[in-house]
Amino acid sequence: MIGVAPATNGISAYGMLNFLAAHREAKDAVGSVIPAVDDGTAGSAFVTETGQGGMTRPGVEYATVSSRSDLVVQLHESQ
């Protein structure tokens, strides 16, 4: 599995997604345009489920590609 600056732990977008989670109408509006918001938010059911039992699985080889300047592409909080 090769992850290119993956959001392994989900993201909060500097707290913005947490704000949306607390305001259902806003979250639904954003989620209708960007469906990944529900799954990709830190602490979401999807992120929690995929992290159960650890972040890796036996028999799978992993590589992560990222750089120090990936803040524009991927927030450091999610790696």
Side-chain angles (χ1 to χ4, degrees):
M1 199 292 280
I2 299 173
V4 180
T8 306
N9 297 312
I11 62 172
S12 71
Y14 298 110
M16 181 55 121
L17 297 180
N18 296 357
F19 173 82
L20 289 176
H23 298 88
R24 192 66 170 157
E25 290 180 7
K27 182 180 179 191
D28 290 345
V30 173
S32 69
V33 178
I34 309 170
V37 167
D38 286 333
D39 288 342
T41 301
S44 71
F46 177 78
V47 171
T48 301
E49 181 181 339
T50 56
Q52 288 179 343
M55 297 306 257
T56 60
R57 301 296 181 261
V60 178
E61 294 183 27
Y62 297 88
T64 299
V65 180
S66 63
S67 74
R68 291 186 179 126
S69 60
D70 279 344
L71 292 176
V72 173
V73 177
Q74 182 58 50
L75 304 173
H76 73 281
E77 68 191 40
S78 67
Q79 296 182 359

